Amino acid sequence: MHRHEPMAPVNKTPMIGSAEEAVTCIKSGDNIFGMAATPSLLTNAMAAHGKAARLEGCTVYHLHTEGDCPYVTEDCDGIFRTKSFFLGGNVRKATQEGRADYVPIFLSETPRVFRKGIVPLDVALVQVSPPDKHGFCSLGTSVDCTRAALQTARTVIAMINKHVPRTHGDGIIHYTNLDRVVYHDQPLYTSHAKEGSPADDAIGKLIAEHLVVDGATLQLGIGNIPNAVLSQLTDHKDLGIHSEMFSDGVLPLVDSGVVNNSRKTLDRGKLVSTFLVGSQALYDFVDDNPVVDMRDAAYTNDPHVIRQQDRMTAINSAIEVDFTGQVVADSIGTRIYSGVGGQVDFLRGAALSDGGVAILALPSRTHKGLSRIVPAIAPGAGVVTTRAHAHYIITEYGIAYLYGRSLSERAEALIAVAHPDDREHLREEATKRGLRRPASIARRFDLPSFPSVR
């Protein structure tokens, strides 16, 4: 029921013109969608049009976007208000200052807000590959909720760009479904992995050695910890990918045959994702590659779909974790930092999978030297993953297994993987909260640190 057919030809001819001409259909009060693979020529033209035409009350919805975000600048205040399903660095300051807004939502449900009419869209700004000989274009690296936006928006403005890779899957749209077309060739935004810290490397080694089995299907995002995990998997066999995204770290494992998707329960032989961010090498890899299946987020992130993958191994990150296992992942105190994303979708799906493993990984300390294992979450911070969802919490100092454990057992397990210099203080705080077991009881009923999955 999740599989969507290509958006077939319709009896319509798109209007071709410049970006400046295309965006003139945007009016005051419009709801506008901007895709993750940002068509910056269109967003720049939209911002300029908004100011020149003195528009008011427009709302822009989008997931994480890269590059400049011209419609959140102070001179666009009152013209456009952004509502992000997931914050990138380009809208973080505006959101924290109150000039932009945040919608907390599971990634699996972002297409639904458009399809159910909860957010009726007037205009969708997208970029697509050039049409093939049959007239079909591809959404390339960003299917996510973009397909749902195309299906429901009153007007679709598309930038046709030869640099957009033609990907297989749900992101296929016929040229005649586009209302206004701008031809402009512009390389996609690229992202390159930063060098990981010793803590990241230690976390990656722990996960790879203890929690990833041969034949596992992996979900992991972009960043130092996922890359550290991937770099440690060179001796594994028959791994698969079913993820909301993947990046360059997967490519060496595909080349060596470690990732071959041969033992996946669903979509066997396919590397499944809903969006991509990485280098040009990544975009070249996915271009016209039938092994890569780019799917709607309502499919990739549906916990019912995820749980059907045997040995589903979900690896996600966190900002802080309290003694009881509550996980903060989208905010630092009252400041929104990112979003809910697919964390809960995949942690729940993996936990219900046969042989599945639900992992949250984080360095024991922040860059400022503050403990990420805390007695209580920071005032104003939001819980993304509840204490009931948390299974494995991993720092560079070890693995804390929380599933089926009491509050006092959880506190002990988490303190054991905190930074050594923070443990005494954390023990004192646990004692104040009644979360320290008497030593005699602890010895008598002690549980293994974590169950082996290898």
Side-chain angles (χ1 to χ4, degrees):
M1 66 178 179
H2 294 276
R3 188 71 182 191
H4 300 287
E5 299 301 323
M7 292 179 69
V10 295
N11 186 23
K12 183 182 65 180
T13 300
M15 180 186 301
I16 301 173
S18 67
E20 292 74 18
E21 293 168 335
V23 299
T24 57
C25 65
I26 298 174
K27 308 299 182 186
S28 291
D30 276 356
N31 285 338
I32 304 157
F33 174 80
M35 72 189 297
T38 313
S40 58
L41 181 78
L42 297 182
T43 55
N44 286 331
M46 179 182 74
H49 168 65
K51 288 181 280 190
R54 298 186 178 182
L55 301 184
E56 295 179 340
C58 296
T59 304
V60 183
Y61 292 87
H62 60 69
L63 282 160
H64 182 286
T65 61
E66 301 287 356
D68 293 334
C69 197
Y71 46 87
V72 298
T73 56
E74 292 186 17
D75 58 352
C76 283
D77 196 19
I79 301 173
F80 301 103
R81 184 167 179 84
T82 298
K83 294 185 179 179
S84 302
F85 297 134
F86 194 101
L87 270 66
N90 53 8
V91 297
R92 196 169 290 139
K93 183 174 184 289
T95 303
Q96 293 168 357
E97 292 176 351
R99 291 182 289 105
D101 213 342
Y102 163 58
V103 180
I105 187 170
F106 302 128
L107 183 57
S108 61
E109 296 186 352
T110 54
R112 182 180 298 178
V113 299
F114 301 135
R115 292 189 174 121
K116 295 288 186 180
I118 296 165
V119 176
L121 289 174
D122 298 292
V123 179
L125 304 179
V126 301
Q127 67 172 329
V128 297
S129 69
D132 64 13
K133 64 182 180 180
H134 303 292
F136 286 97
C137 305
S138 168
L139 292 173
T141 62
S142 183
V143 176
D144 42 70
C145 59
T146 303
R147 180 184 174 85
L150 291 176
Q151 291 172 321
T152 59
R154 175 173 50 83
T155 301
V156 175
I157 304 175
M159 185 175 91
I160 294 181
N161 180 2
K162 72 177 183 181
H163 295 283
V164 174
R166 178 176 299 280
T167 56
H168 295 238
D170 289 338
I172 304 299
I173 176 173
H174 197 269
Y175 175 78
T176 55
N177 284 273
L178 309 174
D179 296 295
R180 299 190 172 204
V181 167
V182 176
Y183 284 89
H184 180 72
D185 295 328
Q186 176 180 331
L188 299 187
Y189 179 90
T190 57
S191 174
H192 299 274
K194 299 176 182 178
E195 185 175 350
S197 68
D200 298 328
D201 294 339
I203 292 169
K205 187 173 183 180
L206 281 169
I207 294 172
E209 288 186 354
H210 296 288
L211 299 178
V212 180
V213 299
D214 290 343
T217 295
L218 304 178
Q219 173 256 337
L220 27 69
I222 192 170
N224 293 341
I225 290 177
N227 286 333
V229 175
L230 291 167
S231 70
Q232 297 286 335
L233 296 176
T234 55
D235 292 328
H236 281 63
K237 295 181 176 61
D238 302 330
L239 299 180
I241 301 292
H242 180 106
S243 187
E244 69 226 24
M245 71 160 300
F246 69 94
S247 194
D248 291 71
V250 169
L251 301 187
L253 298 180
V254 173
D255 290 341
S256 66
V258 170
V259 169
N260 57 30
N261 303 290
S262 64
R263 292 171 63 182
K264 293 177 69 176
T265 315
L266 295 180
D267 303 308
R268 185 162 293 181
K270 298 287 187 178
L271 196 161
V272 175
S273 185
T274 193
F275 71 95
L276 305 166
V277 179
S279 71
Q280 186 59 47
L282 177 72
Y283 305 148
D284 291 342
F285 167 74
V286 303
D287 184 39
D288 201 25
N289 187 342
V291 167
V292 179
D293 207 10
M294 297 295 293
R295 303 291 295 272
D296 193 296
Y299 177 81
T300 60
N301 284 62
D302 183 344
H304 175 71
V305 171
I306 296 164
R307 72 178 296 180
Q308 294 179 64
Q309 294 284 6
D310 292 347
R311 302 170 298 276
M312 185 71 219
T313 303
I315 304 168
N316 287 271
S317 60
I319 290 172
E320 64 180 5
V321 180
D322 77 2
F323 282 162
T324 72
Q326 294 187 113
V327 178
V328 175
D330 69 349
S331 52
I332 302 173
T334 59
R335 293 180 295 132
I336 300 300
Y337 185 80
S338 54
V340 172
Q343 180 170 123
V344 180
D345 295 332
F346 273 96
L347 289 177
R348 190 61 184 149
L352 296 172
S353 157
D354 186 4
V357 185
I359 299 168
L360 281 157
L362 69 167
S364 64
R365 280 181 162 180
T366 69
H367 294 303
K368 296 181 179 180
L370 302 176
S371 180
R372 292 179 182 266
I373 306 296
V374 295
I377 62 175
V383 173
V384 167
T385 295
T386 72
R387 55 174 68 112
H389 285 100
H391 284 213
Y392 291 90
I393 306 291
I394 302 178
T395 75
E396 70 271 30
Y397 292 103
I399 300 173
Y401 186 64
L402 306 188
Y403 183 64
R405 304 287 172 84
S406 69
L407 296 184
S408 60
E409 290 165 342
R410 287 166 175 246
E412 288 188 26
L414 288 165
I415 291 169
V417 301
H419 192 283
D421 293 345
D422 296 324
R423 291 176 192 168
E424 185 56 38
H425 169 70
L426 294 173
R427 290 189 191 101
E428 292 171 359
E429 291 298 316
T431 300
K432 292 178 184 177
R433 287 164 171 75
L435 296 177
R436 293 293 305 283
R437 295 179 295 167
S440 59
I441 295 178
R443 286 193 299 270
R444 183 178 177 187
F445 295 102
D446 204 14
L447 297 170
S449 57
F450 63 91
S452 175
V453 298
R454 288 185 62 80

